[in-house]
Amino acid sequence: MDQAIPTRPRGPVPAGAVAAVVLLAFASGATGLFALFILSFASDACTGASTALICTPTGQQAVTVGPLLAAAVGTFTAAGFCAAKPPWRTAGILLGYVIAFGAFFLAWITAVQA
């Protein structure tokens, strides 16, 4: 009575999906480093009376570290969905792009509001 559940054999992950994840890793890593080394200087214009989010320590941490963390989360999300079936694979890779670059654009908006 020990019968295995029949499953369809899965083929290899398409090269296009792997290329999309590698591109995401490099591009989101570059934007994360841009945020770390460039956007952190947006708080230089802050004065003692400034109330912008970038003028607070929490805002500075979010602007500098947030995009790097989101780049890692977005890349791992996209890589995890590479093994999914075709409609979910595309959606998962797009979700990874949205996570990675969405955080960068939020950091950019926060930095520009100073």
Side-chain angles (χ1 to χ4, degrees), residues 42-43 45-60 63 109-114:
S43 63
C46 295
T47 62
S50 298
T51 59
L53 181 60
I54 189 67
C55 297
T56 65
T58 304
Q60 291 173 359
V63 165
I109 290 168
T110 302
V112 172
Q113 290 180 352

Side-chain angles (χ1 to χ4, degrees), residues 5-107:
I5 298 173
T7 58
R8 287 189 331 182
R10 289 189 187 230
V13 176
V18 174
V21 173
V22 169
L23 177 66
L24 173 63
F26 281 115
S28 64
T31 57
L33 289 175
F34 178 82
L36 183 64
F37 293 116
I38 304 298
L39 291 184
S40 60
F41 291 107
S43 63
D44 288 349
C46 295
T47 62
S50 298
T51 59
L53 181 60
I54 189 67
C55 297
T56 65
T58 304
Q60 291 173 359
Q61 288 291 326
V63 165
T64 56
V65 179
L68 272 177
L69 293 176
V73 170
T75 301
F76 284 124
T77 301
F81 273 95
C82 275
K85 292 182 181 178
W88 294 105
R89 180 185 307 136
T90 304
I93 292 172
L94 287 176
L95 177 64
Y97 273 85
V98 168
I99 290 170
F101 292 111
F104 175 74
F105 287 124
L106 287 176

